[in-house]
Amino acid sequence: MTEPVRPEDVRISDADRNAVAERLRAAHAAGFIDLGEYEERVTEVWRTKTRGGLTHVTRDLPAARKAPRRDGAVFAASPGGITMKVLGLIWLCLTALSVSVWGVVAAFSDLDQPWFLWIAAPPASVLLVLYLSGIGRPRRHR
């Protein structure tokens, strides 16, 4: 019967090593370790084979902090916000093209009805309803 492997004895991948090397780089940039110590630790990271070895390299460093989410003024930094931004830009481009074509046609003919509204208004109303329902909006901190 085989004994279970302790968590600190589990082998690590290059992705794990890269993550720890990035954490060491951030610790060096923040002034927690100097350049010489940074080089020694990164060398040790690439030599180690287990999770325990990685823990040993970073044991005296403060816990890694999550970067704060940087929401924009109009759209959130979430997938919904990015989707709304892309859809809004597509709508804006199509509307600008429609208005330009309408302007040229209206300038050289007696057709003066704003038909571009038939192209711009329906998608604009859908985007507005989605945005007002909360999709893609940044959260306001109170």
Side-chain angles (χ1 to χ4, degrees):
M1 188 179 224
T2 15
E3 292 182 33
V5 178
R6 297 180 314 172
E8 61 268 10
D9 292 336
V10 172
R11 295 186 67 91
I12 56 172
S13 67
D14 285 345
D16 297 328
R17 289 182 186 94
N18 279 328
V20 173
E22 180 60 30
R23 183 172 172 204
L24 289 171
R25 188 205 57 76
H28 170 63
F32 289 109
I33 55 177
D34 63 12
L35 185 59
E37 190 175 0
Y38 167 75
E39 289 176 359
E40 289 172 11
R41 288 182 185 217
V42 168
T43 302
E44 188 175 338
V45 163
W46 286 101
R47 285 185 185 147
T48 192
K49 293 178 176 24
T50 63
R51 285 186 186 166
L54 291 183
T55 305
H56 175 74
V57 173
T58 59
R59 72 183 179 282
D60 61 339
L61 296 176
R65 296 184 206 148
K66 276 191 169 182
R69 205 167 97 172
R70 303 212 184 264
D71 285 343
V74 178
F75 297 110
S78 66
I82 293 168
T83 302
M84 289 294 288
K85 188 183 295 187
V86 168
L87 290 175
L89 287 173
I90 291 170
W91 172 83
L92 188 61
C93 291
L94 290 175
T95 300
L97 178 66
S98 299
V99 169
S100 301
V101 170
W102 173 78
V104 170
V105 170
F108 294 109
S109 71
D110 49 340
L111 177 67
D112 59 352
Q113 295 177 355
W115 54 264
F116 67 87
L117 291 175
W118 290 98
I119 295 171
S125 62
V126 169
L127 288 172
L128 182 63
V129 167
L130 289 173
Y131 186 76
L132 291 176
S133 68
I135 295 175
R137 284 198 316 201
R139 292 193 177 115
R140 300 290 177 214
H141 301 291
R142 294 178 187 195

